Amino acid sequence: MTLLAKPLCAVLMPSGSKRLPSGQAVDFDALYTSLIEPGIVAACMTPLRADAEAGGGIHAPLHERLLLCDYAVADLTCGSAAAFYQLGLRDGLRPATTVTLVGEASPLPLAPASPGAIPYAPAPPEMIRYALAADGRPADAAAGAEALTRALGALRRLRFRPLFQLIEGPVAPDIARLKTDLFREQARYAPDARQALAAARQGGREAVRAVAAGLGEVSVAEPGVVIDLLLSLRAVGDWQGMVDVVGQMGAPLARSTLVQEQYGLALNRLGRADEAGRVLEEVIATRGPSSETNGLLGRVYKDRWGAARQAGRPLEARGWLGKAIAAYLQGFEADWRDAFPGINAVTLMELASPPDPRRVELVPLVAYAVKRRIARGAPDYWDHASLVELAVLARDEAAARLAAADALASVREPWEPASTARNLGLIREARAARGEGLPWADAIEAALRARAQALAPVVQT
């Protein structure tokens, strides 16, 4: 489900035929098919009208489209309060991404274009006026479609990024990998569903599936509930369940950065590495590098390295190891505050044969990033886990034991300590091949594995 190639353009407009106070008829369906849809398609975007979305129908959540579509077209000809509310909500969430349309017979009190005219509400610069024929259809649909294409192209060239997108991109002012944590802390959605999913996560995979069955059709559910369901399935290691939920989502939500990242993660855990790589590579190509997306892509390459190595294909393994290091390094360089891709990069550099000399320069940078975040008073599991790996790489037993104690006390989901234990195991194997060994590091690895198994014995790591 690589949905990011063409931006989605939401269409906010009435349906059917309406008659204006002047008596002029407006055939909105004809307006859509002859002017709006061709104009959006010509701008290399995918139009999404409420009653045309597959699976969603007219019941698809309006807020989902308003929040998550890259661009929008809003027709204000009828001048309804609902239309202006929707437009205002859209502009507040994603300013400079909407084109408005209005028929010439509209009752809207827009300011006339002539100098010195009595000023009413000024028309926004992205407004397109179109003439209506007697039958309510656009009088010159082709010209209107061309104007719409030009307006959307102009907005696209602005490359505007909203100030705060909870599930669409990196969340300022903190780092990208914290999107999922911030979502649960700050998103406001159905409290009953939130509580049910929180309880189900403690009960395991079947408990989450049971709650999911009671939530109804995913494509029309509240987006906040759907995202929480996706993350709850991740927490219990139900990777196929995650893939299934993404397939049932409405298009705007499914193509959001957070969802596509989690989709790539789930595909990789299911052994569908080719698909996972394509999904995450497309997110990076479309949205740009980030510590989170690159971290997930690095994991895909890292797993492919491991598979090639176990299969006795050393040249192929070396290639995947290089791609994994590059992906993690790009993620760290995208946000120096996030040590997660950085620690993975230096760990894999340690595993190379011979070890990659760049790790000597990177280790102090990664350590500084971790320590600064901890000093801010808001460390999480990954901060402590990064210090564990750094201490093991530096052969610092005291620092490793201290960081491991903090990490074990900060575990939230079982896959976290399992992931760190896996990295320590790789370091142990690489050093053993060079005739090196650290028994105390082996003990920390064992403690992390035991913690993961105690939290969720059913989870496959």
Side-chain angles (χ1 to χ4, degrees):
M1 184 176 292
T2 52
L3 303 172
L4 302 178
K6 290 185 178 180
L8 287 180
C9 184
V11 180
L12 309 176
M13 63 181 298
S15 60
S17 295
K18 302 287 187 292
R19 192 167 294 277
L20 303 178
S22 63
Q24 169 69 57
V26 185
D27 186 340
F28 286 104
D29 292 338
L31 173 67
Y32 177 77
T33 57
S34 65
L35 189 159
I36 295 177
E37 184 178 32
I40 295 172
V41 171
C44 295
M45 300 180 185
T46 301
L48 187 64
R49 191 180 180 188
D51 56 359
E53 183 179 353
I58 61 173
H59 303 293
L62 174 63
H63 286 190
E64 179 180 307
R65 296 190 300 278
L66 292 176
L67 274 167
L68 298 174
C69 283
D70 304 275
Y71 299 92
V73 172
D75 189 284
L76 303 178
T77 301
C78 289
S80 69
F84 279 100
Y85 171 77
Q86 295 169 11
L87 179 62
L89 181 60
R90 167 76 195 185
D91 194 59
L93 294 168
R94 287 181 176 264
T97 58
T98 303
V99 176
T100 52
L101 303 175
V102 64
E104 288 184 350
S106 171
L108 288 176
L110 297 174
S114 57
I118 300 174
Y120 297 104
E126 301 83 13
M127 175 169 278
I128 297 172
R129 300 175 188 250
Y130 58 88
L132 289 163
D135 62 358
R137 301 172 68 88
D140 191 347
E146 291 176 4
L148 178 57
T149 300
R150 289 194 299 271
L152 288 170
L155 290 183
R156 195 170 184 177
R157 287 189 292 273
L158 288 176
R159 305 183 70 84
F160 181 85
R161 283 194 63 84
L163 295 176
F164 180 82
Q165 298 174 29
L166 186 58
I167 62 175
E168 178 53 26
V171 181
D174 224 320
I175 54 184
R177 69 179 167 84
L178 301 180
K179 289 197 299 289
T180 54
D181 295 336
L182 193 66
F183 171 82
R184 283 189 179 144
E185 291 172 2
Q186 296 189 2
R188 296 292 177 262
Y189 52 94
D192 290 345
R194 178 198 287 266
Q195 294 169 9
L197 286 168
R201 287 193 293 274
Q202 304 303 314
R205 186 174 302 181
E206 294 306 318
V208 173
R209 287 183 176 180
V211 173
L215 294 177
E217 188 177 347
V218 169
S219 64
V220 299
E222 186 178 345
V225 174
V226 177
I227 295 295
D228 197 354
L229 171 59
L230 182 70
L231 300 180
S232 296
L233 290 166
R234 184 191 72 175
V236 297
D238 191 347
W239 315 118
Q240 185 59 52
M242 292 177 67
V243 170
D244 293 341
V245 165
V246 174
Q248 297 164 19
M249 290 181 186
L253 188 58
R255 72 183 300 279
S256 67
T257 301
L258 183 150
V259 171
Q260 288 290 293
E261 288 170 341
Q262 298 305 309
Y263 182 54
L265 166 67
L267 288 172
N268 188 52
R269 294 300 180 92
L270 288 171
R272 296 161 62 178
D274 285 340
E275 296 170 78
R278 285 195 295 270
V279 168
L280 297 168
E281 287 164 359
E282 190 172 351
V283 172
I284 293 170
T286 306
R287 311 294 194 197
S290 79
S291 57
E292 173 72 351
T293 314
N294 282 79
L296 292 168
L297 181 61
R299 175 60 188 268
V300 173
Y301 294 152
K302 178 174 156 185
D303 287 347
R304 302 201 73 166
W305 160 72
R309 186 169 62 104
Q310 290 182 357
R313 301 191 297 269
L315 289 179
E316 180 184 338
R318 183 172 182 175
W320 287 119
L321 181 60
K323 287 177 72 72
I325 291 172
Y328 282 126
L329 188 56
Q330 186 185 50
F332 185 49
E333 291 174 343
D335 189 347
W336 297 99
R337 299 170 301 170
D338 191 351
F340 180 69
I343 186 60
N344 278 280
V346 296
T347 296
L348 292 184
M349 288 175 182
E350 174 76 14
L351 305 182
S353 182
D356 191 323
R358 292 178 295 174
R359 76 195 191 288
V360 177
E361 297 178 347
L362 278 172
V363 165
L365 296 176
V366 177
Y368 180 78
V370 179
K371 291 174 181 178
R372 287 310 306 156
R373 176 160 172 77
I374 292 176
R376 289 175 54 193
D380 64 8
Y381 170 81
W382 294 113
D383 298 314
H384 299 302
S386 295
L387 289 183
V388 172
E389 289 190 44
L390 288 168
V392 170
L393 290 172
R395 297 175 171 80
D396 186 338
E397 180 179 358
R401 290 189 180 279
L402 180 61
D406 290 334
L408 289 168
S410 304
V411 172
R412 297 156 299 186
E413 297 179 358
W415 59 272
E416 294 174 330
S419 178
T420 304
R422 182 174 182 271
N423 278 355
L424 295 182
L426 292 172
I427 296 172
R428 170 174 46 78
E429 292 171 5
R431 286 180 169 173
R434 300 196 293 264
E436 304 170 10
L438 291 176
W440 55 264
D442 300 346
I444 292 174
E445 177 190 340
L448 289 164
R449 292 191 187 280
R451 178 66 168 149
Q453 292 170 0
L455 285 174
V458 297
V459 175
Q460 300 295 321
T461 60

